């Protein structure tokens, strides 16, 4: 099971690091669009829509990586006072009771919306807008990746509780770009 966890972690790390470059792309598109609008009094709905498509991609596809790195929002007011074992149990229960059902429901309900947009080649209602299915595909893919990362986190915490793995809440040392990960 730990091998499966490592595989999920590797996939989500590659995706998370890759989509971080979307920030640069969004900034360049946004700046370019603003410059063209101010200098030439021209704007494009397609450029505006691609910004929110990419912004959505960033958040939806990086959510699993954020969970993996334990950098998601937590309310540690109570749990920070508990033992690491108690924290692991709370994480497992939270994942099983909240994260898994939420992700499953969002994948289940968003998939047909994507399929409908794909088959009809649904377009934005705005003039010059973009096709909608790529943005709609991000929802089930992002939540499926988050569900898989939740599975990886449960595996790591169960291994920790069984004494077969390290404490998953320990932060790994930060690597510099020059160092291999």
């Amino acid at each position: 099971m730990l091998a499966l966890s490592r595989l999920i972690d590797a996939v989500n790390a590659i995706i998370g690091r890759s989509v971080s470059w979307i920030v640069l792309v969004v900034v360049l598109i946004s700046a370019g669009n603003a410059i063209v609008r101010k200098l030439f009094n021209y704007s494009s709905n397609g450029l505006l829509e691609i910004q929110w498509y990419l912004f959505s991609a960033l958040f939806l596809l990086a959510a699993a990586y954020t969970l993996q790195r334990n950098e998601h929002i937590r309310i540690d007011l109570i749990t920070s006072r508990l033992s690491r074992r108690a924290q692991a149990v709370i994480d497992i229960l939270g994942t099983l009771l909240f994260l898994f059902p939420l992700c499953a429901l969002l994948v289940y309900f968003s998939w047909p919306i994507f399929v409908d947009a794909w088959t009809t080649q649904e377009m934005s209602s705005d003039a010059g807008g973009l096709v909608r299915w790529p943005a709609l595909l991000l929802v089930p893919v992002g939540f499926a990746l988050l569900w898989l990362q939740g599975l990886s986190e449960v595996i790591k915490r169960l291994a920790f509780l069984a004494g077969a793995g390290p404490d998953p809440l320990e932060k790994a040392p930060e690597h510099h770009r020059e160092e291999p990960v």
Side-chain angles (χ1 to χ4, degrees):
M1 293 300 281
L2 285 172
L4 174 62
S5 175
R6 284 189 295 273
L7 175 65
I8 293 168
D9 286 354
V11 168
N12 279 325
I14 290 168
I15 292 169
R17 287 187 197 119
S18 298
V19 300
S20 69
W21 286 98
I22 290 176
V23 173
L24 177 62
V25 175
V26 169
V27 167
L28 292 173
I29 291 171
S30 180
N33 194 29
I35 291 168
V36 168
R37 188 174 59 247
K38 294 295 179 189
L39 290 179
F40 303 107
N41 199 26
Y42 174 79
S43 186
S44 164
N45 285 330
L47 287 176
L48 294 173
E49 287 183 10
I50 195 68
Q51 289 176 61
W52 71 259
Y53 280 28
L54 292 172
F55 199 63
S56 299
L58 176 65
F59 280 94
L60 287 165
L61 299 179
Y65 183 59
T66 304
L67 178 60
Q68 176 191 109
R69 306 233 343 138
N70 198 32
E71 301 211 358
H72 55 290
I73 296 174
R74 289 179 166 269
I75 301 174
D76 290 333
L77 185 63
I78 296 171
T79 59
S80 64
R81 296 185 177 124
L82 300 175
S83 71
R84 293 291 199 172
R85 294 182 65 76
Q87 290 177 21
V89 169
I90 289 170
D91 284 349
I92 291 168
L93 291 174
T95 301
L96 295 175
L97 296 174
F98 299 108
L99 183 69
F100 282 172
L102 174 74
C103 289
L105 283 171
L106 285 164
V107 169
Y108 178 80
F109 285 114
S110 65
W111 184 256
I113 295 169
F114 154 70
V115 170
D116 183 53
W118 168 269
T119 56
T120 63
Q121 289 298 297
E122 179 183 344
M123 295 292 294
S124 169
S125 59
D126 296 323
L130 304 176
V131 65
R132 289 274 167 98
W133 70 261
L136 295 172
L137 178 60
L138 291 170
V139 177
V141 169
F143 281 99
L145 290 171
L146 186 58
W147 189 94
L148 285 170
Q149 190 59 48
L151 176 63
S152 174
E153 298 305 313
V154 167
I155 291 168
K156 289 184 276 191
R157 280 156 181 76
L158 288 172
F160 168 69
L161 291 174
D167 181 353
L169 294 176
E170 282 294 316
K171 283 250 185 196
E174 292 293 323
H175 293 283
H176 296 285
R177 290 217 182 264
E178 300 84 39
E179 296 178 26
V181 177

